[in-house]
Amino acid sequence: MGVLNVTPDSFSDGGDHATVDTAIVFGLRLRALGADLVDVGGESTRPGAQRVSLDEEHARVVPVIEALAQEGVCCSVDTMRAAVAEAAVTAGATLVNDVSGGLADPAMLPTVAALGVPYVAMHWRGHAADMQSRASYDDVVTEVCAELSQRLDACAAAGVADVVVDPGIGFAKTAEHNWQLLRHVDRLQALGPVLLGSSRKAFLGTLLDGRPPVGRDAATTALTVVAAQAGCWGVRVHDVQGSADAVRVWEQLRG
Ligand code: PMM
């Protein structure tokens, strides 16, 4: 899954694809580099970020998805809003990626069920403005699995049939929480197919002596190999070529 943030303020690519035209060009490039899905988002979720309006988010993502879908690019929409998810799927998106796992908008799960598309339910404890104050766990792996399991129950009750779970690396998590979750991907996999979104995140910068986000792609690729080895459903990355190459190497070795 290649990241396409149509935002001025995302932590690593904010402003890079902030217009509809530049975003479409970049989405086509991600597909050419090997992305199976291009994940189009119009709201930054970096720690401390403020929310954008529904109209602004809609205007950022829907035209991009429509144009990419017309070019045959498989798109997901990265949104916490049911109305944006519905418009995006109508425009051609084939999956809804919700970092709140249905908690931010009570209409999300019934809407996804009615749309009949697969759904990514990420572990989430609150909006970006203050989420890091919620990074408190006695046993992060057990608690994230339990909270995701509740989201799966909510999905099932709403009629969402096809759900991928995501531990929400960096969302209400310290660096050590992220490492714990990555050490225990097998426990997440007991819940269902797993998506990992570690790309360029701050815990990698901490490991790499404070390196800025664009210098974290090799470390991200290393985690893609770990995810492939563990049998994850997918990884959500900025540098698609590195991860796609790594998966090809891993597949070749596996035979
Ligand atoms: N991370 C970000 C945004 N969307 N979606 C899923 N499913 N998992 C993630 O970890 C995730 C996400 C934030 O990263 P970005 O600002 O680089 O897009």
Side-chain angles (χ1 to χ4, degrees):
M1 179 186 273
V3 179
L4 175 45
N5 287 320
V6 195
T7 55
D9 57 344
S10 289
F11 79 96
S12 91
D13 57 350
D16 288 357
H17 333 293
T19 70
V20 168
D21 288 344
T22 54
I24 292 166
V25 169
F26 193 72
L28 290 169
R29 187 170 146 71
L30 290 178
R31 194 254 310 258
L33 291 171
D36 294 318
L37 268 172
V38 172
D39 190 42
V40 183
E43 177 171 40
S44 173
T45 49
R46 70 168 206 288
Q50 298 299 316
R51 297 215 67 186
V52 292
S53 71
L54 168 62
D55 288 349
E56 178 68 30
E57 190 187 351
H58 188 290
R60 288 179 185 176
V61 299
V62 174
V64 175
I65 289 172
E66 194 164 30
L68 290 175
Q70 271 166 18
E71 294 292 329
V73 178
C74 266
C75 292
S76 49
V77 60
D78 184 349
T79 185
M80 291 181 267
R81 288 187 169 115
V84 174
E86 186 164 9
V89 171
T90 304
T94 54
L95 179 146
V96 174
N97 173 26
D98 177 3
V99 298
S100 83
L103 289 170
D105 183 345
M108 180 61 98
L109 297 181
T111 299
V112 174
L115 291 167
V117 292
Y119 178 68
V120 175
M122 199 192 81
H123 177 260
W124 186 84
R125 283 188 164 183
H127 285 289
D130 61 352
M131 67 179 171
Q132 287 312 96
S133 67
R134 298 190 173 94
S136 170
Y137 305 85
D138 290 325
D139 175 342
V140 67
V141 179
T142 301
E143 287 168 55
V144 166
C145 286
E147 288 167 35
L148 278 174
S149 177
Q150 287 171 4
R151 301 322 303 150
L152 287 172
D153 291 346
C155 288
V160 180
D162 199 356
V163 186
V164 174
V165 295
D166 181 329
I169 298 297
F171 286 78
K173 318 277 181 332
T174 64
E176 183 48 31
H177 294 143
N178 295 329
W179 290 116
Q180 286 285 345
L181 288 162
L182 291 167
R183 280 183 200 115
H184 295 285
V185 169
D186 56 318
R187 292 196 36 210
L188 295 158
Q189 285 178 304
L191 299 172
V194 172
L195 173 68
L196 292 176
S198 308
S199 186
R200 295 184 179 170
K201 284 185 178 168
F203 75 114
L204 296 176
T206 305
L207 177 73
L208 302 173
D209 308 317
R211 197 165 320 148
V214 283
R216 302 173 192 163
D217 283 333
T220 300
T221 300
L223 287 174
T224 294
V225 176
V226 172
Q229 183 75 35
C232 287
W233 175 85
V235 287
R236 182 181 178 280
V237 297
H238 302 85
D239 170 34
V240 163
Q241 187 168 45
S243 280
D245 286 358
V247 170
R248 285 171 72 179
V249 168
W250 177 79
E251 281 176 339
Q252 185 68 20
L253 283 173
R254 188 186 53 165

mmCIF file with all atom_site columns, all heavy atoms in Angstrom, residues 3 5 10-11 45 78 97 99 120 122 166 169 171 195 197 201 236 238, ligand 1:
data_model
loop_
_atom_site.group_PDB
_atom_site.id
_atom_site.type_symbol
_atom_site.label_atom_id
_atom_site.label_alt_id
_atom_site.label_comp_id
_atom_site.label_asym_id
_atom_site.label_entity_id
_atom_site.label_seq_id
_atom_site.pdbx_PDB_ins_code
_atom_site.Cartn_x
_atom_site.Cartn_y
_atom_site.Cartn_z
_atom_site.occupancy
_atom_site.B_iso_or_equiv
_atom_site.pdbx_formal_charge
_atom_site.auth_seq_id
_atom_site.auth_comp_id
_atom_site.auth_asym_id
_atom_site.auth_atom_id
_atom_site.pdbx_PDB_model_num
ATOM   1   N N   . VAL A 1 3   ? 1.542   5.291  0.196  1.00 0.00 ? 3   VAL A N   1
ATOM   2   C CA  . VAL A 1 3   ? 0.927   6.432  0.889  1.00 0.00 ? 3   VAL A CA  1
ATOM   3   C C   . VAL A 1 3   ? 0.831   7.628  -0.055 1.00 0.00 ? 3   VAL A C   1
ATOM   4   O O   . VAL A 1 3   ? 1.835   8.066  -0.621 1.00 0.00 ? 3   VAL A O   1
ATOM   5   C CB  . VAL A 1 3   ? 1.779   6.843  2.114  1.00 0.00 ? 3   VAL A CB  1
ATOM   6   C CG1 . VAL A 1 3   ? 1.152   8.044  2.814  1.00 0.00 ? 3   VAL A CG1 1
ATOM   7   C CG2 . VAL A 1 3   ? 1.958   5.673  3.068  1.00 0.00 ? 3   VAL A CG2 1
ATOM   8   N N   . ASN A 1 5   ? -0.657  11.213 0.633  1.00 0.00 ? 5   ASN A N   1
ATOM   9   C CA  . ASN A 1 5   ? -1.304  12.183 1.511  1.00 0.00 ? 5   ASN A CA  1
ATOM   10  C C   . ASN A 1 5   ? -1.526  13.486 0.757  1.00 0.00 ? 5   ASN A C   1
ATOM   11  O O   . ASN A 1 5   ? -0.568  14.175 0.408  1.00 0.00 ? 5   ASN A O   1
ATOM   12  C CB  . ASN A 1 5   ? -0.435  12.445 2.745  1.00 0.00 ? 5   ASN A CB  1
ATOM   13  C CG  . ASN A 1 5   ? -0.451  11.277 3.715  1.00 0.00 ? 5   ASN A CG  1
ATOM   14  O OD1 . ASN A 1 5   ? -1.493  10.667 3.943  1.00 0.00 ? 5   ASN A OD1 1
ATOM   15  N ND2 . ASN A 1 5   ? 0.697   10.951 4.292  1.00 0.00 ? 5   ASN A ND2 1
ATOM   16  N N   . SER A 1 10  ? 1.132   16.587 6.606  1.00 0.00 ? 10  SER A N   1
ATOM   17  C CA  . SER A 1 10  ? 1.529   15.260 7.097  1.00 0.00 ? 10  SER A CA  1
ATOM   18  C C   . SER A 1 10  ? 3.000   15.281 7.478  1.00 0.00 ? 10  SER A C   1
ATOM   19  O O   . SER A 1 10  ? 3.778   16.081 6.958  1.00 0.00 ? 10  SER A O   1
ATOM   20  C CB  . SER A 1 10  ? 1.257   14.195 6.036  1.00 0.00 ? 10  SER A CB  1
ATOM   21  O OG  . SER A 1 10  ? -0.135  13.999 5.914  1.00 0.00 ? 10  SER A OG  1
ATOM   22  N N   . PHE A 1 11  ? 3.418   14.364 8.382  1.00 0.00 ? 11  PHE A N   1
ATOM   23  C CA  . PHE A 1 11  ? 4.745   14.530 8.990  1.00 0.00 ? 11  PHE A CA  1
ATOM   24  C C   . PHE A 1 11  ? 5.896   14.313 8.029  1.00 0.00 ? 11  PHE A C   1
ATOM   25  O O   . PHE A 1 11  ? 6.948   14.922 8.170  1.00 0.00 ? 11  PHE A O   1
ATOM   26  C CB  . PHE A 1 11  ? 4.891   13.645 10.239 1.00 0.00 ? 11  PHE A CB  1
ATOM   27  C CG  . PHE A 1 11  ? 5.180   12.191 9.950  1.00 0.00 ? 11  PHE A CG  1
ATOM   28  C CD1 . PHE A 1 11  ? 6.478   11.707 9.950  1.00 0.00 ? 11  PHE A CD1 1
ATOM   29  C CD2 . PHE A 1 11  ? 4.145   11.315 9.677  1.00 0.00 ? 11  PHE A CD2 1
ATOM   30  C CE1 . PHE A 1 11  ? 6.752   10.373 9.683  1.00 0.00 ? 11  PHE A CE1 1
ATOM   31  C CE2 . PHE A 1 11  ? 4.405   9.975  9.402  1.00 0.00 ? 11  PHE A CE2 1
ATOM   32  C CZ  . PHE A 1 11  ? 5.705   9.506  9.397  1.00 0.00 ? 11  PHE A CZ  1
ATOM   33  N N   . THR A 1 45  ? -2.816  12.826 10.381 1.00 0.00 ? 45  THR A N   1
ATOM   34  C CA  . THR A 1 45  ? -3.066  12.244 11.703 1.00 0.00 ? 45  THR A CA  1
ATOM   35  C C   . THR A 1 45  ? -1.798  12.268 12.543 1.00 0.00 ? 45  THR A C   1
ATOM   36  O O   . THR A 1 45  ? -1.682  11.538 13.514 1.00 0.00 ? 45  THR A O   1
ATOM   37  C CB  . THR A 1 45  ? -3.573  10.791 11.551 1.00 0.00 ? 45  THR A CB  1
ATOM   38  O OG1 . THR A 1 45  ? -2.708  10.084 10.657 1.00 0.00 ? 45  THR A OG1 1
ATOM   39  C CG2 . THR A 1 45  ? -4.989  10.748 11.023 1.00 0.00 ? 45  THR A CG2 1
ATOM   40  N N   . ASP A 1 78  ? -8.134  6.811  2.998  1.00 0.00 ? 78  ASP A N   1
ATOM   41  C CA  . ASP A 1 78  ? -7.711  6.886  4.392  1.00 0.00 ? 78  ASP A CA  1
ATOM   42  C C   . ASP A 1 78  ? -8.559  7.967  5.048  1.00 0.00 ? 78  ASP A C   1
ATOM   43  O O   . ASP A 1 78  ? -8.262  9.161  4.914  1.00 0.00 ? 78  ASP A O   1
ATOM   44  C CB  . ASP A 1 78  ? -6.217  7.233  4.427  1.00 0.00 ? 78  ASP A CB  1
ATOM   45  C CG  . ASP A 1 78  ? -5.637  7.234  5.819  1.00 0.00 ? 78  ASP A CG  1
ATOM   46  O OD1 . ASP A 1 78  ? -6.400  7.164  6.801  1.00 0.00 ? 78  ASP A OD1 1
ATOM   47  O OD2 . ASP A 1 78  ? -4.400  7.313  5.934  1.00 0.00 ? 78  ASP A OD2 1
ATOM   48  N N   . ASN A 1 97  ? -9.861  2.627  4.646  1.00 0.00 ? 97  ASN A N   1
ATOM   49  C CA  . ASN A 1 97  ? -8.845  2.542  5.684  1.00 0.00 ? 97  ASN A CA  1
ATOM   50  C C   . ASN A 1 97  ? -9.174  3.589  6.739  1.00 0.00 ? 97  ASN A C   1
ATOM   51  O O   . ASN A 1 97  ? -9.032  4.787  6.502  1.00 0.00 ? 97  ASN A O   1
ATOM   52  C CB  . ASN A 1 97  ? -7.468  2.816  5.046  1.00 0.00 ? 97  ASN A CB  1
ATOM   53  C CG  . ASN A 1 97  ? -6.357  2.928  6.080  1.00 0.00 ? 97  ASN A CG  1
ATOM   54  O OD1 . ASN A 1 97  ? -6.449  2.364  7.170  1.00 0.00 ? 97  ASN A OD1 1
ATOM   55  N ND2 . ASN A 1 97  ? -5.301  3.662  5.744  1.00 0.00 ? 97  ASN A ND2 1
ATOM   56  N N   . VAL A 1 99  ? -8.345  4.959  10.396 1.00 0.00 ? 99  VAL A N   1
ATOM   57  C CA  . VAL A 1 99  ? -7.399  4.890  11.518 1.00 0.00 ? 99  VAL A CA  1
ATOM   58  C C   . VAL A 1 99  ? -8.111  4.848  12.868 1.00 0.00 ? 99  VAL A C   1
ATOM   59  O O   . VAL A 1 99  ? -7.485  4.522  13.874 1.00 0.00 ? 99  VAL A O   1
ATOM   60  C CB  . VAL A 1 99  ? -6.358  6.048  11.505 1.00 0.00 ? 99  VAL A CB  1
ATOM   61  C CG1 . VAL A 1 99  ? -5.495  6.011  10.253 1.00 0.00 ? 99  VAL A CG1 1
ATOM   62  C CG2 . VAL A 1 99  ? -7.007  7.405  11.703 1.00 0.00 ? 99  VAL A CG2 1
ATOM   63  N N   . VAL A 1 120 ? -10.154 -1.554 6.717  1.00 0.00 ? 120 VAL A N   1
ATOM   64  C CA  . VAL A 1 120 ? -9.025  -1.641 7.644  1.00 0.00 ? 120 VAL A CA  1
ATOM   65  C C   . VAL A 1 120 ? -9.433  -0.975 8.947  1.00 0.00 ? 120 VAL A C   1
ATOM   66  O O   . VAL A 1 120 ? -9.779  0.218  8.963  1.00 0.00 ? 120 VAL A O   1
ATOM   67  C CB  . VAL A 1 120 ? -7.753  -0.950 7.092  1.00 0.00 ? 120 VAL A CB  1
ATOM   68  C CG1 . VAL A 1 120 ? -6.648  -0.950 8.149  1.00 0.00 ? 120 VAL A CG1 1
ATOM   69  C CG2 . VAL A 1 120 ? -7.271  -1.634 5.821  1.00 0.00 ? 120 VAL A CG2 1
ATOM   70  N N   . MET A 1 122 ? -8.012  0.171  12.358 1.00 0.00 ? 122 MET A N   1
ATOM   71  C CA  . MET A 1 122 ? -6.750  0.408  13.070 1.00 0.00 ? 122 MET A CA  1
ATOM   72  C C   . MET A 1 122 ? -7.008  0.618  14.553 1.00 0.00 ? 122 MET A C   1
ATOM   73  O O   . MET A 1 122 ? -8.064  1.137  14.941 1.00 0.00 ? 122 MET A O   1
ATOM   74  C CB  . MET A 1 122 ? -6.042  1.625  12.464 1.00 0.00 ? 122 MET A CB  1
ATOM   75  C CG  . MET A 1 122 ? -4.556  1.701  12.798 1.00 0.00 ? 122 MET A CG  1
ATOM   76  S SD  . MET A 1 122 ? -3.823  3.295  12.383 1.00 0.00 ? 122 MET A SD  1
ATOM   77  C CE  . MET A 1 122 ? -4.340  4.235  13.825 1.00 0.00 ? 122 MET A CE  1
ATOM   78  N N   . ASP A 1 166 ? -5.023  -3.470 12.148 1.00 0.00 ? 166 ASP A N   1
ATOM   79  C CA  . ASP A 1 166 ? -3.767  -2.711 12.106 1.00 0.00 ? 166 ASP A CA  1
ATOM   80  C C   . ASP A 1 166 ? -3.501  -2.236 13.527 1.00 0.00 ? 166 ASP A C   1
ATOM   81  O O   . ASP A 1 166 ? -4.390  -1.616 14.136 1.00 0.00 ? 166 ASP A O   1
ATOM   82  C CB  . ASP A 1 166 ? -3.962  -1.541 11.125 1.00 0.00 ? 166 ASP A CB  1
ATOM   83  C CG  . ASP A 1 166 ? -2.735  -0.659 10.956 1.00 0.00 ? 166 ASP A CG  1
ATOM   84  O OD1 . ASP A 1 166 ? -1.967  -0.531 11.919 1.00 0.00 ? 166 ASP A OD1 1
ATOM   85  O OD2 . ASP A 1 166 ? -2.568  -0.090 9.865  1.00 0.00 ? 166 ASP A OD2 1
ATOM   86  N N   . ILE A 1 169 ? 0.663   1.664  14.595 1.00 0.00 ? 169 ILE A N   1
ATOM   87  C CA  . ILE A 1 169 ? 2.023   2.034  15.025 1.00 0.00 ? 169 ILE A CA  1
ATOM   88  C C   . ILE A 1 169 ? 2.121   3.570  15.119 1.00 0.00 ? 169 ILE A C   1
ATOM   89  O O   . ILE A 1 169 ? 1.777   4.285  14.173 1.00 0.00 ? 169 ILE A O   1
ATOM   90  C CB  . ILE A 1 169 ? 3.069   1.475  14.005 1.00 0.00 ? 169 ILE A CB  1
ATOM   91  C CG1 . ILE A 1 169 ? 3.023   -0.056 13.961 1.00 0.00 ? 169 ILE A CG1 1
ATOM   92  C CG2 . ILE A 1 169 ? 4.469   1.995  14.323 1.00 0.00 ? 169 ILE A CG2 1
ATOM   93  C CD1 . ILE A 1 169 ? 3.376   -0.773 15.244 1.00 0.00 ? 169 ILE A CD1 1
ATOM   94  N N   . PHE A 1 171 ? 0.307   5.529  17.021 1.00 0.00 ? 171 PHE A N   1
ATOM   95  C CA  . PHE A 1 171 ? -0.946  6.173  17.445 1.00 0.00 ? 171 PHE A CA  1
ATOM   96  C C   . PHE A 1 171 ? -1.196  5.833  18.911 1.00 0.00 ? 171 PHE A C   1
ATOM   97  O O   . PHE A 1 171 ? -1.540  4.687  19.233 1.00 0.00 ? 171 PHE A O   1
ATOM   98  C CB  . PHE A 1 171 ? -2.120  5.670  16.605 1.00 0.00 ? 171 PHE A CB  1
ATOM   99  C CG  . PHE A 1 171 ? -2.169  6.213  15.192 1.00 0.00 ? 171 PHE A CG  1
ATOM   100 C CD1 . PHE A 1 171 ? -1.341  5.693  14.216 1.00 0.00 ? 171 PHE A CD1 1
ATOM   101 C CD2 . PHE A 1 171 ? -3.044  7.243  14.853 1.00 0.00 ? 171 PHE A CD2 1
ATOM   102 C CE1 . PHE A 1 171 ? -1.383  6.180  12.905 1.00 0.00 ? 171 PHE A CE1 1
ATOM   103 C CE2 . PHE A 1 171 ? -3.080  7.736  13.555 1.00 0.00 ? 171 PHE A CE2 1
ATOM   104 C CZ  . PHE A 1 171 ? -2.252  7.203  12.578 1.00 0.00 ? 171 PHE A CZ  1
ATOM   105 N N   . LEU A 1 195 ? -2.317  -5.366 8.648  1.00 0.00 ? 195 LEU A N   1
ATOM   106 C CA  . LEU A 1 195 ? -1.632  -4.296 7.925  1.00 0.00 ? 195 LEU A CA  1
ATOM   107 C C   . LEU A 1 195 ? -0.725  -3.572 8.917  1.00 0.00 ? 195 LEU A C   1
ATOM   108 O O   . LEU A 1 195 ? -1.147  -3.299 10.048 1.00 0.00 ? 195 LEU A O   1
ATOM   109 C CB  . LEU A 1 195 ? -2.668  -3.306 7.359  1.00 0.00 ? 195 LEU A CB  1
ATOM   110 C CG  . LEU A 1 195 ? -2.115  -2.021 6.718  1.00 0.00 ? 195 LEU A CG  1
ATOM   111 C CD1 . LEU A 1 195 ? -1.352  -2.328 5.430  1.00 0.00 ? 195 LEU A CD1 1
ATOM   112 C CD2 . LEU A 1 195 ? -3.251  -1.043 6.423  1.00 0.00 ? 195 LEU A CD2 1
ATOM   113 N N   . GLY A 1 197 ? 1.697   -0.122 9.488  1.00 0.00 ? 197 GLY A N   1
ATOM   114 C CA  . GLY A 1 197 ? 2.043   1.206  8.982  1.00 0.00 ? 197 GLY A CA  1
ATOM   115 C C   . GLY A 1 197 ? 3.161   1.816  9.818  1.00 0.00 ? 197 GLY A C   1
ATOM   116 O O   . GLY A 1 197 ? 2.911   2.658  10.679 1.00 0.00 ? 197 GLY A O   1
ATOM   117 N N   . LYS A 1 201 ? 8.142   6.464  10.578 1.00 0.00 ? 201 LYS A N   1
ATOM   118 C CA  . LYS A 1 201 ? 7.586   7.025  11.814 1.00 0.00 ? 201 LYS A CA  1
ATOM   119 C C   . LYS A 1 201 ? 8.680   7.351  12.836 1.00 0.00 ? 201 LYS A C   1
ATOM   120 O O   . LYS A 1 201 ? 9.810   6.883  12.732 1.00 0.00 ? 201 LYS A O   1
ATOM   121 C CB  . LYS A 1 201 ? 6.494   6.106  12.365 1.00 0.00 ? 201 LYS A CB  1
ATOM   122 C CG  . LYS A 1 201 ? 5.212   6.279  11.522 1.00 0.00 ? 201 LYS A CG  1
ATOM   123 C CD  . LYS A 1 201 ? 4.018   5.525  12.037 1.00 0.00 ? 201 LYS A CD  1
ATOM   124 C CE  . LYS A 1 201 ? 2.815   5.843  11.128 1.00 0.00 ? 201 LYS A CE  1
ATOM   125 N NZ  . LYS A 1 201 ? 1.685   4.959  11.369 1.00 0.00 ? 201 LYS A NZ  1
ATOM   126 N N   . ARG A 1 236 ? 1.951   -0.369 4.771  1.00 0.00 ? 236 ARG A N   1
ATOM   127 C CA  . ARG A 1 236 ? 1.600   0.959  4.235  1.00 0.00 ? 236 ARG A CA  1
ATOM   128 C C   . ARG A 1 236 ? 2.866   1.808  4.269  1.00 0.00 ? 236 ARG A C   1
ATOM   129 O O   . ARG A 1 236 ? 3.354   2.124  5.351  1.00 0.00 ? 236 ARG A O   1
ATOM   130 C CB  . ARG A 1 236 ? 0.499   1.564  5.117  1.00 0.00 ? 236 ARG A CB  1
ATOM   131 C CG  . ARG A 1 236 ? 0.011   2.924  4.658  1.00 0.00 ? 236 ARG A CG  1
ATOM   132 C CD  . ARG A 1 236 ? -1.058  3.445  5.613  1.00 0.00 ? 236 ARG A CD  1
ATOM   133 N NE  . ARG A 1 236 ? -1.520  4.763  5.237  1.00 0.00 ? 236 ARG A NE  1
ATOM   134 C CZ  . ARG A 1 236 ? -0.860  5.886  5.520  1.00 0.00 ? 236 ARG A CZ  1
ATOM   135 N NH1 . ARG A 1 236 ? 0.262   5.855  6.203  1.00 0.00 ? 236 ARG A NH1 1
ATOM   136 N NH2 . ARG A 1 236 ? -1.352  7.041  5.120  1.00 0.00 ? 236 ARG A NH2 1
ATOM   137 N N   . HIS A 1 238 ? 5.725   4.836  2.324  1.00 0.00 ? 238 HIS A N   1
ATOM   138 C CA  . HIS A 1 238 ? 5.958   5.961  1.415  1.00 0.00 ? 238 HIS A CA  1
ATOM   139 C C   . HIS A 1 238 ? 6.862   5.541  0.257  1.00 0.00 ? 238 HIS A C   1
ATOM   140 O O   . HIS A 1 238 ? 6.601   5.850  -0.897 1.00 0.00 ? 238 HIS A O   1
ATOM   141 C CB  . HIS A 1 238 ? 6.615   7.124  2.169  1.00 0.00 ? 238 HIS A CB  1
ATOM   142 C CG  . HIS A 1 238 ? 5.816   7.621  3.324  1.00 0.00 ? 238 HIS A CG  1
ATOM   143 N ND1 . HIS A 1 238 ? 5.875   7.042  4.571  1.00 0.00 ? 238 HIS A ND1 1
ATOM   144 C CD2 . HIS A 1 238 ? 4.903   8.622  3.422  1.00 0.00 ? 238 HIS A CD2 1
ATOM   145 C CE1 . HIS A 1 238 ? 5.058   7.685  5.391  1.00 0.00 ? 238 HIS A CE1 1
ATOM   146 N NE2 . HIS A 1 238 ? 4.444   8.642  4.725  1.00 0.00 ? 238 HIS A NE2 1
HETATM 147 N N1  . PMM B 2 .   ? -0.577  5.855  9.641  1.00 0.00 ? 1   PMM B N1  1
HETATM 148 C C1  . PMM B 2 .   ? -0.841  7.072  9.176  1.00 0.00 ? 1   PMM B C1  1
HETATM 149 C C2  . PMM B 2 .   ? -1.989  7.314  8.377  1.00 0.00 ? 1   PMM B C2  1
HETATM 150 N N2  . PMM B 2 .   ? -2.828  6.317  8.070  1.00 0.00 ? 1   PMM B N2  1
HETATM 151 N N3  . PMM B 2 .   ? -3.424  4.044  8.217  1.00 0.00 ? 1   PMM B N3  1
HETATM 152 C C3  . PMM B 2 .   ? -3.191  2.816  8.690  1.00 0.00 ? 1   PMM B C3  1
HETATM 153 N N4  . PMM B 2 .   ? -4.037  1.817  8.404  1.00 0.00 ? 1   PMM B N4  1
HETATM 154 N N5  . PMM B 2 .   ? -2.104  2.531  9.468  1.00 0.00 ? 1   PMM B N5  1
HETATM 155 C C4  . PMM B 2 .   ? -1.198  3.502  9.810  1.00 0.00 ? 1   PMM B C4  1
HETATM 156 O O1  . PMM B 2 .   ? -0.244  3.196  10.545 1.00 0.00 ? 1   PMM B O1  1
HETATM 157 C C5  . PMM B 2 .   ? -1.429  4.829  9.342  1.00 0.00 ? 1   PMM B C5  1
HETATM 158 C C6  . PMM B 2 .   ? -2.569  5.054  8.524  1.00 0.00 ? 1   PMM B C6  1
HETATM 159 C C7  . PMM B 2 .   ? 0.067   8.205  9.512  1.00 0.00 ? 1   PMM B C7  1
HETATM 160 O O2  . PMM B 2 .   ? 1.180   8.203  8.686  1.00 0.00 ? 1   PMM B O2  1
HETATM 161 P P1  . PMM B 2 .   ? 1.382   9.237  7.456  1.00 0.00 ? 1   PMM B P1  1
HETATM 162 O O3  . PMM B 2 .   ? 1.246   10.626 8.014  1.00 0.00 ? 1   PMM B O3  1
HETATM 163 O O4  . PMM B 2 .   ? 2.732   8.954  6.954  1.00 0.00 ? 1   PMM B O4  1
HETATM 164 O O5  . PMM B 2 .   ? 0.315   8.959  6.432  1.00 0.00 ? 1   PMM B O5  1
#
